[in-house]
Amino acid sequence: LNPTAAATTAATTTGPAATTSAPRPVAETNSGYPASVFQPLTANGAQLTIGGSVSSTAAAKKGSVVENVAVHHLFAGLSFANLPVEVLSVMPDGNMLRCVLGDIHGTVDAIFPRTLASTVMRGRIISVSGRVVTADRRLCITSDTVAPHPGLREGYTAARIGQRNISEHSRRVGCLLLRGDKCVLVRSDKNQMFLPATELKPFETEEQAVTRAVAEMCDIFPEEVTLLQDVAPVIVYDTTGPEPSLLKLFPALATSPPPSGYELDEESEDEDDLYDWFTYERAQQRLTTSYEREGLTELARGIVRAIDVGVVVPDFHCTFAPPKSKLVELEESRKDVLAVTEIPKSLPLLERLPVTVLCGFLGAGKTTLMQHILANREGLRVA
């Protein structure tokens, strides 16, 4: 990795907001959202504009969006069509409508042009097409295309305002980038070390944002990083602020091999450099926040497992991992849990406790049936 970038990059983009330089001021509209949210949205050459002449429906016909989605399917950067929701609240704000939408699965904040006020009314069920953007670190929907909808599935109602709201918590994305037996940590202006992390720009996906974060903070080309699609990201929780925020960490490998003598250079640090490489033990010592140390451990375990089973095949030797004693300890604790929960196969059938599982939809009468059985247990073995 090229160490020649200006030192200001890491200071403004890495680590918790409270421990780095002040965030860059962002122009806001009178709706309270950054002005960039209202710029034309583009997907596969089709614009999804706010109040423009080209609608989300046009993009849908080009196949650039995901159709027939629900609230819990939404993620940053997604272009979608035909999201059936109930309008839970509407607040006119300048030439915009700030809304909360909900379906059975959850709720989400949304922004519409005020020209749709006759359709976007509280209590109505509508079908929305648009884009999921990130504004002020939170997910929200922007849309200029809505249509009446016949209603949610019979017997189900939308979640309440604030219930399972995907716009509620602020979020950032970060990366555990490995090369050989080391990971990269970036340095703040106070010589504190963090995993490369950043906020999402309005129209970015999480993967795009995390690739940009590593490239900017380490002054490298994006081609020098490959995200591991077959290793699950890890979400950790930053509780240092007034409210919890989410940091989603992605596993990645460097595409260039380590230089000669790299493994022997374990303890050296250059405080004038944007970043340094650290072994697992040293990274745990140098990371500033406890939640990043937690994320480092979880991601390292996932990468080790993926390499062990052959799901991930590094281009060159990758030995970054917790000490074997730690891995053994974690594996033994897992086995202890399984030993408690598994039924011994040698247990005679007659000694096993028969259990009946009673299930059904909300309001189907499960409790009523259970009370009836318990009140009329003559001849039954129930408890």
Side-chain angles (χ1 to χ4, degrees):
L1 301 182
N2 183 355
T4 59
T8 55
T9 306
T12 56
T13 54
T14 184
T19 63
T20 60
S21 58
R24 178 167 51 88
V26 179
E28 293 192 352
T29 65
N30 56 4
S31 66
Y33 286 91
S36 55
V37 171
F38 303 106
Q39 295 172 353
L41 315 181
T42 306
N44 278 357
Q47 286 184 318
L48 304 175
T49 65
I50 295 295
S53 58
V54 184
S55 72
S56 307
T57 305
K61 290 179 180 178
K62 289 179 176 288
S64 60
V65 301
V66 178
E67 298 193 60
N68 303 316
V69 297
V71 167
H72 65 170
H73 298 148
L74 303 178
F75 57 85
L78 174 69
S79 297
F80 64 90
N82 305 325
L83 169 67
V85 287
E86 179 180 342
V87 182
L88 302 178
S89 73
V90 181
M91 180 186 298
D93 193 348
N95 62 346
M96 298 291 162
L97 298 174
R98 300 176 60 183
C99 305
V100 177
L101 310 177
D103 64 7
I104 297 147
H105 308 285
T107 59
V108 61
D109 294 355
I111 311 169
F112 298 96
R114 196 160 183 172
T115 53
L116 296 177
S118 60
T119 304
V120 182
M121 301 178 66
R122 182 180 176 186
R124 283 193 174 179
I125 308 295
I126 57 176
S127 177
V128 180
S129 299
R131 183 92 177 255
V132 182
V133 301
T134 304
D136 192 25
R137 292 189 176 189
R138 290 169 166 80
L139 298 181
C140 71
I141 287 173
T142 59
S143 171
D144 68 340
T145 304
V146 299
H149 192 276
L152 304 178
R153 189 181 297 275
E154 185 178 356
Y156 294 90
T157 57
R160 302 183 302 275
I161 289 181
Q163 187 178 18
R164 299 186 294 277
N165 190 314
I166 67 171
S167 306
E168 180 177 1
H169 298 294
S170 66
R171 56 190 70 214
R172 295 181 300 135
V173 291
C175 183
L176 175 63
L177 175 61
L178 305 185
R179 186 172 70 176
D181 66 340
K182 297 177 183 177
C183 73
V184 71
L185 301 182
V186 294
R187 182 176 282 106
S188 74
D189 53 359
K190 297 181 181 179
N191 198 32
Q192 295 175 315
M193 305 304 294
F194 301 95
L195 293 168
T198 189
E199 302 175 15
L200 279 76
K201 293 182 178 179
F203 308 124
E204 282 184 317
T205 65
E206 293 174 333
E207 290 81 1
Q208 288 174 317
V210 77
T211 303
R212 172 178 57 81
V214 178
E216 289 179 353
M217 293 177 191
C218 300
D219 189 28
I220 62 173
F221 294 117
E223 288 79 5
E224 296 188 53
V225 179
T226 180
L227 300 179
L228 299 179
Q229 296 291 339
D230 296 326
V231 180
V234 169
I235 296 178
V236 291
Y237 306 101
D238 177 3
T239 57
T240 57
E243 60 180 25
S245 63
L246 281 60
L247 173 61
K248 188 172 184 178
L249 297 171
F250 288 81
L253 295 178
T255 57
S256 301
S260 177
Y262 172 82
E263 291 80 4
L264 303 176
D265 193 25
E266 180 175 329
E267 299 299 329
S268 64
E269 283 191 50
D270 184 355
E271 294 186 3
D272 295 327
D273 208 347
L274 286 174
Y275 64 92
D276 269 309
W277 293 90
F278 299 90
T279 61
Y280 176 86
E281 294 87 347
R282 189 88 173 104
Q284 287 285 8
Q285 295 170 4
R286 290 293 280 120
L287 275 171
T288 302
T289 65
S290 59
Y291 60 86
E292 285 183 288
R293 291 193 290 271
E294 174 190 346
L296 177 75
T297 300
E298 290 298 317
L299 269 184
R301 289 172 59 194
I303 294 171
V304 167
R305 285 196 293 268
I307 292 175
D308 285 347
V309 301
V311 169
V312 171
V313 181
D315 296 337
F316 38 86
H317 197 46
C318 180
T319 57
F320 183 90
K324 286 189 176 181
S325 58
K326 284 284 185 184
L327 289 175
V328 170
E329 180 182 326
L330 291 168
E331 185 61 26
E332 288 300 323
S333 65
R334 176 179 171 272
K335 289 180 179 178
D336 289 342
V337 172
L338 291 176
V340 172
T341 56
E342 288 180 348
I343 299 175
K345 294 182 180 179
S346 60
L347 191 64
L349 183 61
L350 293 177
E351 295 182 17
R352 299 183 189 180
L353 179 66
V355 174
T356 300
V357 178
L358 181 62
C359 58
F361 293 111
L362 181 66
K366 299 184 296 295
T367 304
T368 302
L369 176 57
M370 181 65 71
Q371 290 174 340
H372 175 77
I373 292 173
L374 293 175
N376 300 273
R377 62 177 69 187
E378 185 176 350
L380 301 175
R381 296 178 61 194
V382 296

